[in-house]
Amino acid sequence: MITINMDIAKQIWRNKIRLNRKTIFEKLDILYLRAIENNNTVEQHNIAILKQKLRDAPSDPRIDNAINPSELLIINPLLEINI
């Protein structure tokens, strides 16, 4: 019988989220610079909110609450961030 260490699985999942959010951060950085160039403070504020959501994604409490790998795999906070 195979047993999965959920603590390690959760850490691996958090690292995957961190890796996957990198390209999103890069895109948002470009959009943020354009908003600065256009003096669009509303867009700057909206982008700042999105970037904070990306920073918070690895600490999503649903990851801690997952009790098996199947539950863990369906948790992807990056898909819930509308960019």
Side-chain angles (χ1 to χ4, degrees), residues 17-72:
I17 290 170
R18 287 182 185 103
L19 181 64
N20 289 336
R21 71 181 178 179
K22 183 179 183 282
T23 56
I24 301 169
F25 269 125
E26 291 169 353
K27 291 176 185 176
L28 288 175
D29 286 342
I30 292 168
L31 293 174
Y32 192 80
L33 288 174
R34 287 183 184 155
I36 290 172
E37 290 172 353
N38 295 325
N39 293 319
N40 188 339
T41 57
V42 172
E43 188 65 16
Q44 291 173 38
H45 176 73
N46 292 338
I47 292 169
I49 290 170
L50 290 173
K51 290 174 83 173
Q52 187 58 52
K53 288 180 180 180
L54 288 172
R55 288 183 199 99
D56 294 341
S59 61
D60 188 316
R62 295 175 298 172
I63 295 171
D64 287 328
N65 295 332
I67 58 173
N68 60 50
S70 297
E71 284 185 15
L72 189 61

Side-chain angles (χ1 to χ4, degrees), residues 1-10 67-69 72:
M1 181 166 133
I2 297 174
T3 57
I4 307 249
N5 183 324
M6 283 303 293
D7 291 331
I8 293 173
K10 290 173 185 179
I67 58 173
N68 60 50
L72 189 61

